[in-house]
Amino acid sequence: MKASRLSALILALSLLAGCGAPPPEATPTPSPTAESAVETSTVFTLPRATESLHPILSADKVNVALVGLLWEGLFELDQTFNPQLQLCQSYAVSEDGLTWTFYLRGGVTFSDGSPLTAADVVASLQLAQSAQSRFAGRLDDIGTIAEQEGAVVLTLRTPNAALPALLDIPIVKAGDAEVPPGTGPYQLTETPEGIVLTARPDWWQGLSLPAENIPLVTIQAADDLISAFDTEDISLVTADLTGTSTLGFAGDHAVWDYPTTTMVYIGYNCRRGPCSSADIRRALDRAWDRTTVAVALYSRHAQAATLPLHPDCADYDQTLAQRRDYSPQVFSQLLEEAGCTQGEDGLWYQGRSPLSLTFVVNTDNTFRLSVAEYLAGELTKSGVQVELQKLSWTEYQQALSAGSFDLYLGAASLSADFDPAPLLTAGGALNFGGYGNTNTLNLLSAWQAASGSARKTAAQALWTDLESQVPFSTLCFKSQSVLTHWGAVSGLTPTQQNPFYGIENWRLGS
């Protein structure tokens, strides 16, 4: 993942931080030459907030960013969301897909020197299921979690061949410690100067690390984080450059984008109004200029997509995706096939009435608001009457709950297995449009259960059905960012769950 440059503008950032939040954003420009790069100290420092540092219970995003340096999971996700073995050495799945046995690596120790056990893994996963966990809801389909000698057995309620993608949850030593020991490359060390991350000589992976010690700078509030980064007291921050709140950072920074599971999409009212017709939804699906949304309106901090799956994922079918690309000609053709006619005034009509749509958007996020304004404007130019309702967060939620819309612009953080069920199932948390189709749900279940070569076939069947029914239209998947000072570090390959993924390949200093 190459770094891009944010010039001496004020960055509007959504920090992955409990003490901070997000922006307007800047367009990346080419990296500076070696002669123009800013000289930086070889001391690499990171922020730590005053909130909990527990890797499962903490909700503070500054502290959560540190998790990958101290703790590890059974698996870790790479930059294509593919689960890689970590604390799990191998696994077996029952024929019905419901019972999974994960065999643990031998010789792994926590930072206090004690060995990793199946009991620790069971306790960690059970804690992750609890309501106070930041992973609450992720493991709802797991019925039982039990230890076996050298292994952990998970029993599912419904088959999910992508289960390993959900098991990058940090494993901690069982107990009630406020900051429990982990198995990661660093450990917390108290020094007279403060808390430091110290490289573990007994780390089971045995890889060389870029720094023996990483001092932690305590951050009290958002302004402290801004000041500490701008003055180079800290070397790295994680940020959502297209988030809802704003923090300003001045100066030159290297920006390392990484893909996320946050999907920006158009939702339709499938129960009433014009969009209750799948024919109309299919036409509208070809009206969205996803490339302009991702490249211009999200300033390249997003990747255009037509499937509810990040384009970097193995199940993303480019051929099927291209069938739903933006096309004004196909849009017009599909409207005609849906029974609409275009009058001499340029408007589209359903019978004698103009095709008119109520489009709602939340004003709290300026980027989504800009997207909605652009898409509504393009629809209006094409001859569709659009009433764009710009609503506060509370009003927006009320409109969705009441079904008071034809279209809405939404963003959803999907799980790492990209399960679209919340948008498709009756009572689904994101099914505001009231979509219900038994065939779609059967195809969804078949895809979730399938593995190996059968999974690609099942995925194609599901994507084809969604192309036909269009309960929602995916526009893009957002990227988030790691910011560093020029010359402070190179070789970053951040991921959604771990900005320090591949840290053994980093190089500190210019």
Side-chain angles (χ1 to χ4, degrees):
M1 187 72 64
K2 294 182 179 179
S4 58
R5 183 178 187 171
L6 294 180
S7 305
L9 304 169
I10 297 297
L11 291 184
L13 298 180
S14 169
L15 287 178
L16 298 182
C19 59
E25 78 186 41
T27 302
T29 59
S31 300
T33 63
E35 290 76 17
S36 66
V38 178
E39 293 269 337
T40 60
S41 167
T42 56
V43 176
F44 188 79
T45 57
L46 294 172
R48 178 195 173 180
T50 55
E51 304 300 324
S52 169
L53 192 57
H54 196 291
I56 296 175
L57 302 179
S58 177
D60 187 286
K61 293 179 180 178
V62 161
N63 289 345
V64 166
L66 298 173
V67 166
L69 295 175
L70 296 162
W71 295 274
E72 298 168 310
L74 291 175
F75 297 84
E76 67 174 343
L77 302 184
D78 63 18
Q79 291 186 300
T80 63
F81 303 95
N82 189 36
Q84 304 295 326
L85 293 168
Q86 198 167 45
L87 297 180
C88 174
Q89 183 168 7
S90 62
Y91 60 92
V93 188
S94 64
E95 190 172 343
D96 62 5
L98 295 177
T99 302
W100 291 67
T101 303
F102 298 95
Y103 300 97
L104 305 184
R105 267 182 211 283
V108 178
T109 60
F110 288 106
S111 57
D112 65 354
S114 60
L116 171 71
T117 69
D120 296 312
V121 177
V122 169
S124 298
L125 296 182
Q126 289 176 337
L127 183 61
Q129 286 184 307
S130 66
Q132 66 267 34
S133 162
R134 66 185 175 97
F135 300 101
R138 180 189 283 201
L139 304 180
D140 282 352
D141 282 339
I142 295 178
T144 61
I145 304 173
E147 66 176 285
Q148 194 173 288
E149 186 175 352
V152 175
V153 180
L154 274 58
T155 304
L156 306 185
R157 295 186 177 90
T158 56
N160 182 2
L163 177 62
L166 304 178
L167 297 178
D168 61 344
I169 294 166
I171 302 303
V172 303
K173 182 176 179 178
D176 298 323
E178 184 177 344
V179 185
T183 64
Y186 286 88
Q187 62 186 1
L188 289 173
T189 304
E190 297 261 4
T191 72
E193 291 75 29
I195 299 177
V196 174
L197 295 178
T198 304
R200 290 182 55 197
D202 60 343
W203 182 37
W204 67 273
Q205 293 198 38
L207 299 173
S208 118
L209 297 170
E212 285 296 312
N213 296 291
I214 303 176
L216 298 182
V217 177
T218 301
I219 300 300
Q220 301 285 345
D223 288 346
D224 294 336
L225 189 64
I226 296 169
S227 175
F229 186 69
D230 288 348
T231 59
E232 301 191 23
D233 290 334
I234 56 177
S235 306
L236 178 152
V237 292
T238 52
D240 178 358
L241 298 180
T242 57
T244 298
S245 304
T246 59
L247 285 179
F249 287 81
D252 268 356
H253 314 302
V255 179
W256 312 78
D257 274 359
Y258 56 90
T260 76
T261 61
T262 300
M263 182 178 74
V264 180
Y265 67 99
I266 298 287
Y268 301 103
N269 192 330
C270 299
R271 284 180 175 156
R272 57 178 178 269
C275 293
S276 61
S277 163
D279 293 336
I280 295 293
R281 299 197 299 268
R282 277 194 298 274
L284 291 172
D285 189 56
R286 304 302 296 273
W288 312 128
D289 186 352
R290 295 162 170 91
T291 299
T292 295
V293 169
V295 174
L297 300 176
Y298 274 104
S299 296
R300 299 184 185 274
H301 295 301
Q303 287 184 250
T306 59
L307 306 179
L309 190 70
H310 196 282
D312 291 345
C313 292
D315 284 350
Y316 196 88
D317 190 311
Q318 292 289 351
T319 301
L320 291 179
Q322 288 170 3
R323 293 204 313 229
R324 297 174 66 177
D325 278 348
Y326 169 64
S327 173
Q329 295 77 19
V330 175
F331 166 69
S332 297
Q333 176 186 332
L334 291 177
L335 276 184
E336 290 178 352
E337 292 176 5
C340 297
T341 56
Q342 193 165 26
E344 294 181 359
D345 55 5
L347 295 179
W348 284 98
Y349 286 82
Q350 281 186 304
R352 296 184 177 181
S353 301
L355 179 58
S356 181
L357 303 172
T358 300
F359 189 3
V360 302
V361 62
N362 167 30
T363 58
D364 289 3
N365 184 285
T366 57
F367 296 93
R368 287 207 297 276
L369 179 59
S370 296
V371 170
E373 289 173 338
Y374 168 73
L375 296 179
E378 292 301 294
L379 268 187
T380 300
K381 290 177 187 177
S382 73
V384 177
Q385 292 186 344
V386 181
E387 179 192 358
L388 182 61
Q389 295 185 357
K390 306 174 185 180
L391 308 177
S392 69
W393 177 244
T394 299
E395 293 170 332
Y396 176 75
Q397 288 181 305
Q398 291 172 344
L400 295 188
S401 297
S404 301
F405 63 89
D406 293 308
L407 314 169
Y408 71 89
L409 183 63
S413 294
L414 301 181
S415 52
D417 58 352
F418 289 91
D419 180 9
L423 291 146
L424 301 175
T425 57
L430 300 174
N431 191 4
F432 301 109
Y435 179 75
N437 186 293
T438 301
N439 185 58
T440 301
L441 296 183
N442 288 338
L443 292 172
L444 173 60
S445 296
W447 173 59
Q448 291 172 328
S451 59
S453 59
R455 186 168 179 84
K456 185 171 184 178
T457 301
Q460 289 176 331
L462 177 60
W463 308 148
T464 299
D465 178 76
L466 292 179
E467 177 186 22
S468 171
Q469 297 300 316
V470 196
F472 59 90
S473 290
T474 303
L475 298 179
C476 61
F477 279 86
K478 286 182 53 175
S479 299
Q480 293 191 8
S481 309
V482 174
L483 274 65
T484 65
H485 299 290
W486 283 111
V489 60
S490 60
L492 275 69
T493 53
T495 65
Q496 176 171 265
Q497 294 290 34
N498 184 10
F500 305 100
Y501 180 84
I503 191 172
E504 66 274 9
N505 300 314
W506 288 19
R507 180 180 175 183
L508 300 185
S510 55

